[in-house]
Amino acid sequence: MQAIILAAGEGSRMRPLTASRPKVMLPVAGRPLLEHILLRAKSAGADRAVLVVGYGQDLVRSSFGDGSRLGMKIEYARQEQQLGTGHALLAAESLAEERFLVLNGDVLPDEQSLQKMAGGGPSVSAIEVDDPRRYGVFTEERGRFLSVVEKSDSPPSRLANAGIYLLERSIFSALRQAPLSPRGEFELTDGLNLLAVQEDLSIIKLNRWLEIGRPWDILSANESLLSDLEPEVLGTVESGARLNGSVSLGRGSRIMSGAYIEGPVVIGENCKIGPNCYIRPATCLGDNVRVGNAVEVKNSAVMNDSKIGHLSYLGDCVIGEGCNFGAGTVCSNLRHDKSNIKSYIKGKRVDSGRRKLGAIMGDRVMTGINTSIYPGTVIEPGFLGLPGAVLKGLVK
């Protein structure tokens, strides 16, 4: 089977994390999101994949190459301009086979549901949600797909479009007939609405899914995926350090005496951890990360080449590449009134829906010693902080 994965977008809602990489290359549970999607597709029988690339395509191509590393054949289609999901799928038309899976690059379905979908006829996927106003939702008749109704104040169902499809080449004709959407893009859902008039499409309900559309979704995804972590210790653990639970440690990494690591935790290659630090569950550290003396890291994602100076605290944070925390930097993650944390999407203040959320930090940020960072603070790439600073809100 062939899978076509729509991976050309930047992911503007994930800024500042996507300032230098596409959303599909953000690390989740120790590997890029796109790699998780490819492996799920492979588990459903796809041994061939087409990646539709655009923004940050060189990083995608260099990471996955011809697919041999994953035991797949990978080809690439380029979407010159990001003009919608329908436009992205049309970019892959010349490489598409008679029948193929289509997966959005920001959704990870459960393997069992994907396997069921791949073994049937043309279909669309749905997930039942509590607040369908946030999603395009399906209308249906006895399990047959009728249409997608985009975000509505009065949605006709709770069946949200999960962004995974099993389609045939007839979708391309439908997409060429689809009109521009109100936001000036060619939407795959408009093509599906036209196709449903001519052909039967069934609805497959997913058991679970992970949607990664906002920076803090990385934390939820880590928690979910790390629950199945198989521990593998390839680095060095000094006497006096303790690993408790499922901990994966990459080659060349060293856990120094006095460190206490409570899994599930993923630590990449060539990291130096400790001495005398505490790393708590659902934390993912990239390659070449340094965690200093008397540091505590809780439920956080720290990308490659970042350094957490001694006496610092990170709680529920997402930290970009090449950041440096001055000694005594504290990223708080809980309001005194314990209400939901407000953060920022595209510069607008929004409710994260999380009671605990620390900093969202772009690449190459440096904090001065004894810096205090408020919950939900977003810091743009390259920010240089002063000693004793208090950072709050949207920091540029």
Side-chain angles (χ1 to χ4, degrees):
M1 174 168 286
Q2 182 187 53
I4 298 175
I5 302 174
L6 309 183
E10 170 194 342
S12 57
R13 292 191 302 160
M14 298 293 288
R15 285 265 181 169
L17 304 175
T18 53
S20 58
R21 64 184 67 81
K23 176 168 58 176
V24 295
M25 293 303 293
L26 289 171
V28 178
R31 62 181 73 196
L33 171 60
L34 180 54
E35 187 165 328
H36 287 286
I37 294 171
L38 282 164
L39 291 174
R40 292 286 169 95
K42 183 180 178 182
S43 76
D47 59 353
R48 305 175 300 285
V50 176
L51 304 184
V52 181
V53 295
Y55 177 79
Q57 64 173 306
D58 290 344
L59 183 58
V60 177
R61 290 175 185 267
S62 64
S63 180
F64 295 102
D66 63 2
S68 55
R69 177 172 66 85
L70 300 180
M72 304 178 73
K73 177 185 177 183
I74 294 180
E75 299 177 284
Y76 297 87
R78 182 173 179 178
Q79 187 186 18
E80 296 287 348
Q81 294 178 282
Q82 279 72 69
L83 297 177
T85 52
H87 184 259
L89 184 55
L90 278 168
E93 182 177 7
S94 63
L95 298 173
E97 298 175 2
E98 289 303 314
R99 178 176 290 195
F100 44 85
L101 282 168
V102 178
L103 300 98
N104 279 343
D106 58 359
V107 173
L108 193 62
D110 68 279
E111 292 186 19
Q112 184 180 12
S113 299
L114 190 59
Q115 290 165 3
K116 177 182 177 182
M117 190 171 201
S123 56
V124 299
S125 64
I127 187 83
E128 290 199 30
V129 296
D130 293 329
D131 184 7
R133 293 173 298 178
R134 289 181 51 207
Y135 303 93
V137 298
F138 293 151
T139 63
E140 54 103 18
E141 183 179 75
R142 299 180 202 172
R144 178 176 174 265
F145 166 78
L146 297 180
S147 68
V148 181
V149 177
E150 289 302 339
K151 298 174 185 177
S152 166
D153 291 334
S154 301
S157 78
R158 293 175 53 217
L159 293 177
N161 179 13
I164 298 134
Y165 317 95
L166 180 66
L167 299 172
E168 297 176 339
R169 289 190 59 86
S170 53
I171 185 61
F172 297 115
S173 297
L175 286 172
R176 278 191 285 272
Q177 299 172 45
L180 275 175
S181 71
R183 59 181 182 176
E185 296 183 346
F186 293 98
E187 305 290 357
L188 177 52
T189 50
D190 289 331
L192 291 173
N193 288 342
L194 291 172
L195 189 64
V197 176
Q198 308 165 20
E199 301 179 12
D200 285 346
L201 296 171
S202 59
I203 296 177
I204 303 295
K205 294 182 182 179
L206 303 184
N207 296 324
R208 293 179 294 116
W209 76 332
L210 293 173
E211 181 191 25
I212 301 177
R214 304 164 300 177
W216 46 88
D217 290 338
I218 290 175
L219 301 178
S220 301
N222 282 345
E223 290 182 71
S224 177
L225 293 173
L226 289 181
S227 64
D228 298 323
L229 177 66
E230 292 291 335
E232 184 178 39
V233 177
L234 303 177
T236 301
V237 181
E238 292 184 356
S239 175
R242 182 170 178 181
L243 310 185
N244 185 23
S246 297
V247 176
S248 182
L249 180 67
R251 288 183 174 83
S253 291
R254 181 158 62 110
I255 309 298
M256 302 175 71
S257 182
Y260 186 93
I261 302 177
E262 189 176 359
V265 164
V266 170
I267 299 172
E269 298 183 350
N270 301 312
C271 296
K272 187 177 179 182
I273 310 298
N276 307 314
C277 63
Y278 180 24
I279 299 180
R280 293 168 60 182
T283 291
C284 293
L285 307 181
D287 297 336
N288 305 304
V289 169
R290 173 74 172 98
V291 175
N293 178 62
V295 168
E296 181 175 345
V297 182
K298 177 251 179 188
N299 189 41
S300 293
V302 181
M303 298 185 199
N304 298 345
D305 304 309
S306 288
K307 296 176 173 58
I308 315 302
H310 55 281
L311 302 170
S312 295
Y313 173 75
L314 273 70
D316 301 89
C317 295
V318 183
I319 308 301
E321 290 190 359
C323 294
N324 192 91
F325 283 59
T329 295
V330 174
C331 295
S332 56
N333 62 340
L334 180 67
R335 289 173 55 100
H336 286 241
D337 61 7
K338 298 184 180 179
S339 61
N340 285 357
I341 305 298
K342 303 292 196 302
S343 191
Y344 292 83
I345 297 290
K346 294 185 177 182
K348 294 183 180 180
R349 196 162 185 253
V350 299
D351 185 346
S352 70
R354 296 179 64 96
R355 195 169 66 89
K356 291 186 177 182
L357 178 64
I360 307 297
M361 187 177 290
D363 295 348
R364 305 178 311 283
V365 170
M366 298 183 69
T367 67
I369 60 170
N370 298 323
T371 293
S372 297
I373 305 177
Y374 271 59
T377 295
V378 174
I379 305 176
E380 294 290 335
F383 174 81
L384 302 178
L386 296 173
V390 176
L391 305 180
K392 179 181 181 181
L394 183 56
V395 179
K396 300 180 180 181

